[in-house]
Amino acid sequence: MHHRHTLAAVAAGILLTAGIGATIPAGASSAPSRASAPPATAQVVNARWGGHAGFDRIVIDIRGAVPPVTVRQASALHYDGSGQKVPLAGKYFLQISLSPAAAHDDNGRNVYQGPRLLKIYLPTLKGLALTGNFEGVVTIGAAFDTKPAFKTFTLHSPERLVVDIAHPVGCRAA
């Protein structure tokens, strides 16, 4: 049994490392680099996830300082602006809002490289979607089959928001 948890943790570490390696380096664009001057408004550039022993994790990568964040449980997810329902399967949802923030640069070019709508097969996290980039608010929704017990914190260098969601008691990682 212990071997299964160790194997799951190693596999999750490999997946997280692969996800981190897939990000686009800041200097990879054809635009001039302004590495010394962070954007005036925080830019949400990626959302990634991983499974760990005892919890699933969502990491939101930020260019600039992490803005104020609100994480709330919701009965359903809707796209900001249009109000259309987000087609993620789940019984419970978290809405993660960052403001002031944008998923585009000052010229309107998209800087967000994460998932727009994705089904996920982890013990608690079942889906992730970019639900808004509207009027200075970036919103990301997450779907679950069980009521999420979560904690949030920030990490620095690079800047990122972390949401850890505990596995339900008795849940075993595959």
Side-chain angles (χ1 to χ4, degrees):
M1 180 112 79
H2 178 69
H3 179 69
R4 177 179 287 171
H5 289 290
T6 303
L7 186 59
V10 169
I14 292 169
L15 289 173
L16 276 176
T17 302
I20 291 167
T23 59
I24 298 172
S29 73
S30 59
S33 175
R34 295 182 305 193
S36 60
T41 299
Q43 294 178 348
V44 177
V45 296
N46 196 12
R48 44 199 171 93
W49 60 97
H52 300 273
F55 65 97
D56 293 344
R57 173 171 284 178
I58 300 168
V59 178
I60 300 172
D61 296 316
I62 311 290
R63 188 176 301 142
V66 176
V69 175
T70 303
V71 180
R72 69 173 186 85
Q73 295 190 26
S75 58
L77 296 173
H78 295 88
Y79 288 109
D80 295 347
S82 73
Q84 291 182 332
K85 190 172 180 188
V86 176
L88 275 180
K91 296 177 187 167
Y92 300 91
F93 303 93
L94 286 181
Q95 180 178 314
I96 305 162
S97 301
L98 300 96
S99 178
H104 57 274
D105 65 17
D106 291 339
N107 296 317
R109 288 187 300 258
N110 182 40
V111 296
Y112 179 75
Q113 300 297 315
R116 301 276 174 182
L117 181 66
L118 183 68
K119 188 169 187 173
I120 297 173
Y121 301 93
L122 289 176
T124 57
L125 182 61
K126 301 303 177 187
L128 202 59
L130 176 66
T131 59
N133 177 22
F134 187 70
E135 295 184 348
V137 180
V138 174
T139 310
I140 294 175
F144 308 89
D145 287 339
T146 56
K147 188 173 183 177
F150 64 93
K151 67 177 181 176
T152 63
F153 55 96
T154 57
L155 295 172
H156 306 286
S157 298
E159 301 300 302
R160 56 215 185 274
L161 169 71
V162 178
V163 182
D164 283 347
I165 307 98
H167 291 167
V169 176
C171 175
R172 295 187 339 169

